[in-house]
Amino acid sequence: MNIIKSALLCSAATLAIASANAADLPSKKSPANAFTQMGIDAFVSAGFGYSWAGANVDGESVGSMNGVNFETRATFAAPLTGAIGIQADGEFVRNSNRLGDMFDRVEQTGSLAGHVFARNNTGLLGVIAQGNSTTENVAFENTQHRRYFLGAEGQYFLGKTTIYGQAAYQNLSYGSGIINLPIELSFGGMNLSAQVRHFMEPNWMAALKVDYQNLTGDGLILSAVKQTAWRVGARTEYRLDASPISVYGDLSHAWNNVSFDGSYKENETRAMAGIKLNFGTSTLFERDRSGASLEPIRPSRLIGLGGLGLL
């Protein structure tokens, strides 16, 4: 937790210092006024990282669950007519964890998201639809589940700062084969996300983000399973001047709590670093105000065995 608190305090201090300097005279390193003319914008990115996780069942630890993470994303945005635009995101995430001294676990998720929105120099309003497909292999359990999201999102531009929110309904279809025993379960709930981005320079951005998720459904034997999850994070991105290349770093901490007849809790701290190849807009600030500025939904994942009440 100390590393999380330190990262969040550093990010908050950076934002405060940058805000205090907002009244400085414009320079070539200061973001210009909001862009309103949208053009075609796109990027591809790849990142690697490591996660530290642990879990307990009814207060008893089930051990550490550390592992390696990989992510890649391709995003494209274009105008339709007037202030109306579209954006599409394709993402692949692979997580590999060691569950204590017992099992190796590999989880792979592919997702596609589509956004339709209206944007002007004040902000953005839009809708998002997304589908995720996940396969998970661990010891004697093989699972495959799908998530579908439908929701709304919006951005408000405040000088060098952008406030961004998403709210979406989620449906999770969970299929598992434990020792060749087929299991099909269904869960529903909400995903909420809030983010504040600040641009110290046109090509340097820092952001703070909070995500919340809840899911409710019937378990295999238990009548009701409920999950709540929180995630807080800090992110920074820097684009090299006169270059299509940018680099980013991401630090997050998540808490999952699943209740049934008992209680399953886990937490994960994750650090990621990556590189991005940009097309279209010439700065990160220009992208934020007139390009591919929206995010796909990243739901909280359950790391340990039996995380959905199947222990």
Side-chain angles (χ1 to χ4, degrees):
M1 281 300 295
N2 287 336
I3 189 172
I4 298 298
K5 291 180 180 178
S6 298
L8 294 179
L9 288 173
C10 289
S11 297
T14 300
L15 294 180
I17 293 169
S19 298
N21 294 329
D24 289 350
L25 293 176
S27 71
K28 67 180 182 179
K29 288 190 175 183
S30 298
N33 293 329
F35 294 86
T36 58
Q37 183 62 42
M38 180 180 177
I40 294 176
D41 189 32
F43 64 83
V44 293
S45 64
F48 296 88
Y50 194 82
S51 58
W52 300 262
N56 67 73
V57 178
D58 294 333
E60 295 187 13
S61 174
V62 296
S64 63
M65 298 178 290
N66 304 337
V68 178
N69 311 291
F70 168 76
E71 62 184 22
T72 184
R73 176 181 169 186
T75 289
F76 172 84
L80 282 183
T81 178
I84 307 299
I86 59 171
Q87 180 177 315
D89 310 289
E91 193 170 43
F92 174 78
V93 178
R94 186 181 191 274
N95 302 297
S96 178
N97 302 92
R98 179 70 175 174
L99 304 178
D101 297 324
M102 299 180 293
F103 308 115
D104 291 315
R105 172 185 177 277
V106 176
E107 176 196 71
Q108 300 183 101
T109 299
S111 65
L112 290 173
H115 315 255
V116 180
F117 58 87
R119 176 164 47 198
N120 58 25
N121 61 356
T122 301
L124 175 151
L125 287 175
V127 295
I128 178 174
Q130 179 173 325
N132 290 14
S133 178
T134 299
T135 59
E136 178 183 341
N137 302 102
V138 53
F140 49 80
E141 180 182 13
N142 297 311
T143 67
Q144 182 169 15
H145 52 274
R146 292 178 172 83
R147 297 181 191 245
Y148 299 98
F149 305 88
L150 182 62
E153 55 191 343
Q155 295 178 336
Y156 179 65
F157 306 144
L158 188 63
K160 302 176 185 179
T161 301
T162 297
I163 301 172
Y164 181 15
Q166 286 179 320
Y169 174 77
Q170 173 187 177
N171 177 263
L172 167 62
S173 176
Y174 185 91
S176 178
I178 302 178
I179 320 179
N180 297 320
L181 174 64
I183 300 168
E184 294 291 338
L185 302 173
S186 181
F187 298 83
M190 292 293 298
N191 273 82
L192 304 175
S193 177
Q195 182 179 153
V196 178
R197 301 172 183 161
H198 187 82
F199 292 84
M200 284 70 70
E201 299 176 5
N203 276 324
W204 182 23
M205 181 275 297
L208 298 177
K209 186 177 180 180
V210 178
D211 300 296
Y212 170 78
Q213 170 183 291
N214 67 64
L215 283 170
T216 303
D218 292 335
L220 175 60
I221 300 174
L222 310 166
S223 58
V225 177
K226 296 181 179 180
Q227 182 222 12
T228 59
W230 289 89
R231 180 171 56 223
V232 297
R235 181 184 178 92
T236 187
E237 182 176 353
Y238 183 81
R239 180 170 173 174
L240 304 178
D241 291 337
S243 169
I245 302 296
S246 61
V247 292
Y248 67 88
D250 197 298
L251 184 64
S252 64
H253 186 74
W255 303 264
N256 283 319
N257 184 8
V258 180
S259 60
F260 39 94
D261 284 351
S263 175
Y264 176 87
K265 297 181 179 181
E266 66 185 21
N267 63 84
E268 178 193 63
T269 299
R270 176 181 295 201
M272 300 287 295
I275 188 169
K276 182 183 291 185
L277 180 61
N278 302 281
F279 308 91
T281 51
S282 58
T283 68
L284 297 181
F285 185 71
E286 182 181 354
R287 166 168 294 154
D288 184 80
R289 301 304 167 89
S290 63
S293 65
L294 301 172
E295 299 284 346
I297 296 171
R298 279 201 172 180
S300 180
R301 66 196 190 96
L302 287 158
I303 307 165
L305 287 170
L308 287 173
L310 301 179
L311 286 170

